Amino acid sequence: MVRILAFFVGLGFVAALIFSIIVTPFASTEESVTEEFHKQPKTLALASDGPFGRYDKQQLQRGMQVYNEVCSACHSLNLVNFYSLEGLGYNEAQIKAYAASHEVPGLDPDTGEPTTRPGLPSDHFPAPYANEIAARSANNNALPPDLSLITKAREGGAPYVYSLLTGYTAVPADLPAENRPGTGLHYNPYFANLNLAMAPPLTSEGQVTYAPGNPKPTVDQMAKDVSAFLVWTAEPKLESRHAIGWAALAFLLIFTVLTYLSYRQIWAEKKGK
Amino acid sequence: MSFPWAEEYKPKSAMMQWMDDRLPLPRLVYGAIGAGYPVPRNLNYFWNFGVLAGLALTIQIVTGIVLSMHYAANADIAFASVEHIMRDVNSGWMLRYMHMNGASFFFIVVYIHMFRGLYYGSYKAPREMVWLLGVVIFLLMMATGFMGYVLPWGQMSFWGAQVITGFFSAIPLVGEPIRELLLGGFAPDNAALNRFFSLHYLLPFVIAGVIILHIWALHIPGSNNPTGVEVKTESDTVPFHPYYTAKDGFGVGIFLIAFVVMTFFAPNFLGHPDNYIPANPLSTPAHIVPEWYYLPFYAILKSFTGNFLWIDAKLWGVIAMFASILILFFLPWLDNSPVRSAKYRPTYRMFFWILVADVLVLGYLGQAHVTSWVVLMSQICTMYYFAHFLIIVPIVSRIEKTLPMPNSITEAVLSGEADEARPIGVAPTNPAHPDPVKA
């Protein structure tokens, strides 16, 4: 009885699917214009890549400088607090001084009126705009995303960020009119819909002045450095993750060998072969 | 518990004797996972996965309880509280990544455990109840996993909740009110997040309870084995401890190595980048996909595109998706072949492997960019999925010519792998192992 019922239920599903196949028009998929012009991220090799990856602290510091002097005009870094900057190799005094150089929202201790005060190490990076409406009104109605997690929140990660920063080109001649950038938009083939509200942020060599002993601040170098910095902001615990991972693996390899040997020994007489 | 030759628990000290007379907990453990539980001696490595599933649940409960001490179930700060765990809580990143990847590993081992049951006929009499309870555990896991994915309140959390609860609105008349009741509002918001958190904390303990029933039901007939032949004599079995505790220990080592590699070196490999964007009800992601372990069912959901018999295509999809799991409840009665193990069922074995491939392809199609080819392929694969359980298996179980089986587990073990299926009287292919009965 169960089997007869099941047979008819099964036929019902199969019939519904055959019906679905018949009524669904089969459209051969053509590559859309955006897919045709869209490019995959360039390759970007960073010191933090791979299971042995560690951060290049000099590079992170340069990247933070690029963020401070360029990106932070529009983009927030809400999730990062100042004391975590010790991950970049800064000491406590440097972090205190750096935090104090930022004005963060606060309350006047006498009147209770909203005001600003110098930042403390426990404060987070202050946002450039008070809220979303202010951010949009200053940016032609586009919202600059928070950058704290950007390398984890975009398909392609850090190479995507690097490609976007260095990927602005002239509009190709064969791009159809409806895909050409409108007012306030900029052509960038690494962006999914090709037209990006962000104007090219890194435009000329020397836009940021690196301390002596660092590589030349070319556009490419600055883009690499800030991408590396944004990998760190998204994953500040990467180095301890890799270190603990290797320790755990070393322990488990010994553990597994021992359990295998004891398994073999216990079963030795039962295998009967 | 299960066989007359099972070792009885004997307290070794006066204190344990005292304990045994008042609360025989050591006796229970001894009979359940100690030397008091005789197990077929020929289990292969696929029998490790039950223990591994239990370990995965334990990892989830332990990491989850600590995470909940730092997590805030409030739509305004849930996302930031997860990032607080990742950045400021001591080893919080490790707990969170273990919990995230632990869910995937729980599903991986449970899927292998289930396909093991399908291959070796572990769902058949007298173990139907073990299988039914297992399907209940699987359903509870799916609910728990879904609600857990909502908690970080990222874009996929929000839109996943929107899509999944949207299934209920496909039910005629009462669908929309049911959806609003489940969500506590018209769209996922604080009310939904809070109840999901509450249930996500509760359900793992319900799972633990059903696991106790699952093991209890298993211990009545005892474990199945790769030959599917019933245990006949004491020589067919070994005590669970130390034989299978040792083997499971090795399995645990391998499992943990794989788990550590993923958790520490590719923690976001199985996740989706969009879930690192805070939930935004005003911005729909270009491509909403569930977690990988739901993908085959998601593909089934999307494959119904026609309003067959005046039933809406969306409702067909929802019915089919739920039915794809509910039919597993009927499997013990759909397959009435007296032979359990697919080793001796060549036709069933072929269809079994087609099913495995079918489910894997459905998983791929579930996340693929929707094109006509993807839709057509998922329709064909869904068709096979239902046909397999509802039409093919019942027919195969009636007409199949099965291969000769060994007389006992001991015979299968002693004659070696190649000769396991050799009936008595036929010359052994390996002369080093003469016929155990004649020898």
Side-chain angles (χ1 to χ4, degrees):
Chain A
M1 191 60 198
V2 177
R3 281 182 291 277
I4 294 166
L5 272 176
F7 184 78
F8 285 108
V9 171
L11 278 187
F13 280 118
V14 170
L17 284 160
I18 291 173
F19 180 80
S20 292
I21 293 175
I22 293 167
V23 299
T24 310
F26 192 88
S28 58
T29 39
E30 274 177 42
E31 205 180 28
S32 69
V33 175
T34 44
E35 277 168 358
E36 189 190 332
F37 285 87
H38 181 81
K39 286 189 191 163
Q40 290 306 306
K42 307 174 192 176
T43 49
L44 171 68
L46 294 174
S48 53
D49 294 344
F52 294 101
R54 295 181 64 80
Y55 286 118
D56 174 349
K57 292 194 172 132
Q58 278 309 113
Q59 184 177 37
L60 297 190
Q61 295 192 2
R62 291 196 302 270
M64 188 171 85
Q65 201 188 341
V66 176
Y67 168 77
N68 276 333
E69 295 179 23
V70 183
C71 319
S72 69
C74 304
H75 290 278
S76 57
L77 208 54
N78 288 334
L79 298 170
V80 182
N81 52 35
F82 291 118
Y83 69 71
S84 64
L85 291 177
E86 62 185 14
L88 267 57
Y90 291 113
N91 63 35
E92 210 181 313
Q94 284 171 315
I95 290 171
K96 269 190 181 151
Y98 180 73
S101 73
H102 289 78
E103 287 289 310
V104 300
L107 294 177
D108 187 306
D110 299 321
T111 64
E113 290 291 316
T115 175
T116 58
R117 58 169 174 79
L120 295 167
S122 57
D123 285 316
H124 289 220
F125 274 80
Y129 302 107
N131 51 52
E132 187 182 329
I133 300 169
R136 283 189 188 276
S137 83
N139 287 286
N140 197 17
N141 204 31
L143 178 68
D146 183 78
L147 294 184
S148 319
L149 284 167
I150 204 78
T151 53
K152 270 155 79 175
R154 293 292 181 278
E155 205 77 61
Y160 167 76
V161 173
Y162 165 70
S163 309
L164 205 64
L165 291 173
T166 55
Y168 291 91
T169 56
V171 182
D174 53 343
L175 189 70
E178 67 269 24
N179 294 96
R180 291 178 169 267
T183 19
L185 296 178
H186 308 269
Y187 183 77
N188 190 324
Y190 296 96
F191 192 61
N193 77 4
L194 307 178
N195 296 308
L196 186 55
M198 176 168 72
L202 302 170
T203 48
S204 58
E205 185 171 327
Q207 192 175 350
V208 172
T209 312
Y210 284 164
N214 280 303
K216 271 208 330 202
T218 59
V219 169
D220 189 70
Q221 185 65 41
M222 289 187 289
K224 274 184 185 153
D225 293 346
V226 78
S227 305
F229 173 66
L230 293 174
V231 172
W232 175 81
T233 60
E235 193 72 12
K237 304 297 168 116
L238 176 138
E239 290 188 354
S240 39
R241 174 155 65 74
H242 287 172
I244 295 176
W246 283 112
L249 268 188
F251 170 82
L252 283 173
L253 281 174
I254 298 168
F255 171 84
T256 308
V257 168
L258 289 178
T259 51
Y260 180 70
L261 293 175
S262 66
Y263 157 59
R264 292 296 301 220
Q265 192 182 357
I266 286 167
W267 277 84
E269 97 246 35
K270 287 284 174 188
K271 283 294 182 187
K273 285 181 186 174
Chain B
M1 201 189 270
S2 48
F3 302 110
W5 57 85
E7 296 268 350
E8 204 205 336
Y9 174 69
K10 292 192 186 63
K12 287 200 180 70
S13 65
M15 199 186 89
M16 293 309 272
Q17 180 68 57
W18 185 90
M19 184 72 178
D20 193 44
D21 293 340
R22 285 157 185 82
L23 180 70
L25 196 60
R27 180 178 292 272
L28 181 77
V29 172
Y30 186 87
I33 52 169
Y37 178 50
V39 188
R41 59 190 289 183
N42 60 336
L43 303 189
N44 59 32
Y45 281 111
F46 284 106
W47 265 262
N48 283 44
F49 286 87
V51 165
L52 296 182
L55 175 67
L57 177 69
T58 311
I59 292 173
Q60 290 306 87
I61 289 181
V62 171
T63 55
I65 286 176
V66 183
L67 284 172
S68 74
M69 296 173 188
H70 302 279
Y71 169 78
N74 179 305
D76 290 333
I77 54 171
F79 187 88
S81 80
V82 172
E83 280 304 315
H84 160 72
I85 291 170
M86 294 295 288
R87 289 157 194 270
D88 304 329
V89 173
N90 289 334
S91 302
W93 58 269
M94 183 158 66
L95 290 169
R96 200 272 178 130
Y97 277 154
M98 281 173 78
H99 199 72
M100 235 170 90
N101 287 282
S104 287
F105 273 78
F106 196 4
F107 274 96
I108 291 171
V109 295
V110 163
Y111 279 132
I112 296 173
H113 190 62
M114 290 169 76
F115 277 112
R116 192 286 318 271
L118 286 177
Y119 187 86
Y120 292 110
S122 303
Y123 50 87
K124 293 187 182 192
R127 295 181 189 83
E128 301 98 320
M129 198 48 103
V130 185
W131 176 259
L132 299 185
L133 290 165
V135 180
V136 170
I137 293 170
F138 180 54
L139 283 171
L140 287 168
M141 279 176 65
M142 297 192 86
T144 311
F146 156 64
M147 287 187 284
Y149 194 59
V150 175
L151 300 185
W153 210 240
Q155 274 288 67
M156 277 302 161
S157 300
F158 179 89
W159 291 97
Q162 181 82 297
V163 169
I164 305 253
T165 55
F167 297 160
F168 292 93
S169 63
I171 304 168
L173 300 173
V174 292
E176 197 51 43
I178 287 179
R179 183 180 119 87
E180 282 161 26
L181 187 73
L182 288 172
L183 282 176
F186 299 105
D189 204 345
N190 208 36
L193 181 61
N194 270 291
R195 64 192 59 188
F196 283 6
F197 178 53
S198 171
L199 294 173
H200 183 71
Y201 204 118
L202 169 70
L203 290 186
F205 296 97
V206 179
I207 292 176
V210 183
I211 285 175
I212 291 174
L213 301 182
H214 185 68
I215 297 174
W216 187 9
L218 170 71
H219 284 207
I220 305 302
S223 302
N224 185 26
N225 68 83
T227 65
V229 176
E230 281 297 333
V231 167
K232 295 196 174 84
T233 58
E234 189 170 357
S235 71
D236 289 344
T237 66
V238 291
F240 187 84
H241 180 73
Y243 291 97
Y244 284 108
T245 41
K247 192 171 184 175
D248 285 335
F250 174 54
V252 164
I254 299 290
F255 168 82
L256 288 178
I257 286 174
F259 179 56
V260 161
V261 167
M262 284 302 286
T263 303
F264 290 90
F265 301 112
N268 294 305
F269 179 75
L270 295 168
H272 197 289
D274 277 24
N275 225 27
Y276 281 110
I277 304 172
N280 181 355
L282 300 177
S283 152
T284 316
H287 199 51
I288 301 176
V289 282
E291 289 268 76
W292 69 265
Y293 33 83
Y294 303 123
L295 288 175
F297 305 100
Y298 195 55
I300 289 175
L301 172 85
K302 292 189 296 180
S303 64
F304 289 81
T305 51
N307 303 335
F308 184 59
L309 294 178
W310 300 277
I311 296 173
D312 193 52
K314 185 182 173 191
L315 184 58
W316 266 111
V318 173
I319 292 171
M321 190 187 62
F322 283 107
S324 65
I325 299 168
L326 295 181
I327 53 175
L328 296 177
F329 279 115
F330 298 93
L331 185 61
W333 297 277
L334 293 175
D335 176 4
N336 68 339
S337 167
V339 177
R340 290 197 190 91
S341 174
K343 220 171 201 169
Y344 310 111
R345 301 183 60 191
T347 318
Y348 174 80
R349 188 167 64 217
M350 185 184 79
F351 286 112
F352 169 85
W353 286 113
I354 295 176
L355 178 75
V356 172
D358 185 70
V359 171
L360 291 176
V361 172
L362 278 172
Y364 169 78
L365 296 169
Q367 55 82 47
H369 185 67
V370 179
T371 63
S372 283
W373 274 112
V374 167
V375 173
L376 181 65
M377 281 302 291
S378 42
Q379 285 162 337
I380 292 168
C381 289
T382 304
M383 218 183 287
Y384 180 78
Y385 184 92
F386 284 105
H388 177 90
F389 287 108
L390 296 172
I391 300 172
I392 295 170
V393 164
I395 293 176
V396 165
S397 71
R398 278 189 93 88
I399 63 172
E400 181 176 37
K401 265 187 91 74
T402 57
L403 301 175
M405 294 197 291
N407 285 317
S408 74
I409 293 171
T410 309
E411 181 192 306
V413 172
L414 292 183
S415 57
E417 278 289 323
D419 281 345
E420 260 175 55
R422 184 171 53 89
I424 300 292
V426 173
T429 53
N430 182 352
H433 301 294
D435 204 315
V437 176
K438 285 183 189 164

